[in-house]
Amino acid sequence: MRQDYISWDQYFMGISLMSAMRSKDPNTQVGACIVSAEHKIVGIGYNGFPRGVSDLDFPWQREGEFLETKYPYVVHAEQNAILNSTGSLNGCRIYVSLFPCHECAKNIIQSGIKEVIYASDKYAGTDSIRASKKMLDASKVVYRQMPAMQLRVEIGNEIPENDHAE
């Protein structure tokens, strides 16, 4: 049996990171993957405009008048994964490339998800993230940061010398 296969966490975080690559946001690409206790994917999403809203006709700017920025229009990855889910999310875990904001935390809690595994906590310390963690703690939703994954490329059976996977 192979000994160098990836863990479930690596697998589902990889899917989350790959989903983020679908985002057309020029600044922040976020992906989410919701998984059942049986290791079945029940929802996937990435940040972007709602279905039917043109990526070309709405703004991607981060600054300016509120209605001229992306903020009133973008659906976050976690929200899309929940909305795209195929069944009950009770007891599921969600893998996200970026720690969820306070709005997504509310959706995660309400949907019954019990664990958040995240790659980056880029906005730690902001009011949104502090509120998110306060709500997640109060509702007993566990969250943990996953160590950075290193991807490696195998050529045949050889791993390039400068590539050290952990």
Side-chain angles (χ1 to χ4, degrees):
M1 182 173 96
R2 257 183 74 208
Q3 299 297 314
D4 61 343
Y5 58 89
I6 62 174
S7 69
W8 285 116
D9 279 349
Q10 290 171 316
Y11 179 67
F12 295 124
M13 186 59 76
I15 292 170
S16 170
L17 295 169
M18 185 66 74
S19 296
M21 295 173 71
R22 284 281 312 143
S23 174
K24 295 174 185 74
D25 188 321
N27 298 298
T28 306
Q29 301 82 42
V30 181
C33 179
I34 304 173
V35 181
S36 72
E38 296 80 29
H39 305 296
K40 293 182 181 179
I41 296 172
V42 295
I44 295 178
Y46 56 88
N47 60 314
F49 295 135
R51 188 175 295 129
V53 174
S54 172
D55 295 318
L56 301 174
D57 295 337
F58 280 75
W60 285 110
Q61 287 77 14
R62 296 172 64 178
E63 296 179 12
E65 293 293 321
F66 184 66
L67 294 177
E68 299 304 318
T69 68
K70 65 181 178 176
Y71 298 112
Y73 311 111
V74 169
V75 180
H76 288 188
E78 301 91 332
Q79 294 169 318
N80 268 324
I82 290 167
L83 292 168
N84 292 334
S85 64
T86 59
S88 172
L89 303 182
N90 275 332
C92 287
R93 59 193 186 279
I94 186 168
Y95 291 82
V96 291
S97 56
L98 182 63
F99 194 90
C101 72
H102 66 283
E103 290 296 330
C104 289
K106 290 186 255 184
N107 290 315
I108 288 167
I109 293 163
Q110 286 297 96
S111 72
I113 292 170
K114 293 300 179 194
E115 185 175 12
V116 175
I117 302 96
Y118 61 96
S120 170
D121 199 1
K122 177 172 147 179
Y123 299 107
T126 63
D127 287 346
S128 178
I129 300 305
R130 288 201 315 264
S132 179
K133 289 179 179 179
K134 186 174 183 177
M135 286 186 288
L136 292 170
D137 289 340
S139 62
K140 298 186 177 24
V141 173
V142 177
Y143 52 90
R144 62 185 166 91
Q145 187 167 20
M146 194 171 148
M149 290 184 352
Q150 291 185 340
L151 300 176
R152 61 190 172 106
V153 178
E154 292 191 28
I155 303 170
N157 291 330
E158 297 178 26
I159 299 172
E161 268 184 54
N162 294 333
D163 190 9
H164 303 285
E166 293 185 16

